């Protein structure tokens, strides 16, 4: 394993030891993560969704439309990444990263959004008092 040809082998050893310590520390959090996942909610009523959390900050045109919010957010991610690439004189790379990050945002919203409570299935809308 070679990190840099000008570094001594002590640095390589230290890097590997620190990585192993970090992996053990992350693995040690697994029981707490499992216990937190099993923790019941103390609040009464339905859990709600994205609009119960940030609804006041969203424009009316996005109210109740979680996929429209996700597309707007993905578009903003694309614009920021493309502008960053353009500012760094690497517009094509910035646009490619913007497309990749925006698509990743939409894929993760589709796969994890329901689990995280960002959207609810059609017909199971939460109460909006």
């Amino acid at each position: 394993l070679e990190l840099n040809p000008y570094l001594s082998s002590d640095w390589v050893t230290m890097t590997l030891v620190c990585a192993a310590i970090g992996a053990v520390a992350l693995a040690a959090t697994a029981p707490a993560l499992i216990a937190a996942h099993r923790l019941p909610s103390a609040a009464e009523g339905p859990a709600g969704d994205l609009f119960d959390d940030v609804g006041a900050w969203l424009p009316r045109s996005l109210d109740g439309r979680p996929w429209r919010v996700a597309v707007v957010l993905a578009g903003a991610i694309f614009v920021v990444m493309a502008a960053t690439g353009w500012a760094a004189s690497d517009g094509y790379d910035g646009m490619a990263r913007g497309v990749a990050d925006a698509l990743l945002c939409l894929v993760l919203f589709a796969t994890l959004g329901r689990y995280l409570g960002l959207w609810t299935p059609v017909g199971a809308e939460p109460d909006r008092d």
Side-chain angles (χ1 to χ4, degrees):
L1 177 69
E2 184 175 333
L3 297 175
N4 189 334
Y6 304 107
L7 294 177
S8 70
S9 63
D10 293 340
W11 282 102
V12 174
T13 303
M14 184 180 73
T15 302
L16 294 175
V17 168
C18 288
I21 291 170
V24 169
L26 284 174
T29 64
L33 179 65
I34 293 169
H37 179 70
R38 294 182 186 159
L39 185 67
S41 175
E44 293 185 20
D49 61 6
L50 174 68
F51 301 100
D52 294 324
D53 296 332
V54 296
W57 294 345
L58 295 174
R60 283 231 182 255
S61 62
L62 299 177
D63 190 28
R65 296 178 177 95
W67 276 101
R68 193 174 285 183
V69 173
V71 169
V72 168
L73 179 63
I77 289 171
F78 170 74
V79 168
V80 167
M81 293 301 291
T84 303
W86 178 75
S89 297
D90 194 6
Y92 292 119
D93 189 40
M95 288 181 64
R97 288 180 184 181
V99 168
D101 286 352
L103 288 176
L104 184 63
C105 174
L106 292 174
V107 167
L108 290 176
F109 185 80
T111 56
L112 295 176
R114 183 175 175 194
Y115 176 76
L116 296 174
L118 299 177
W119 56 272
T120 56
V122 174
E125 292 293 323
D127 295 333
R128 299 193 194 283
D129 296 329

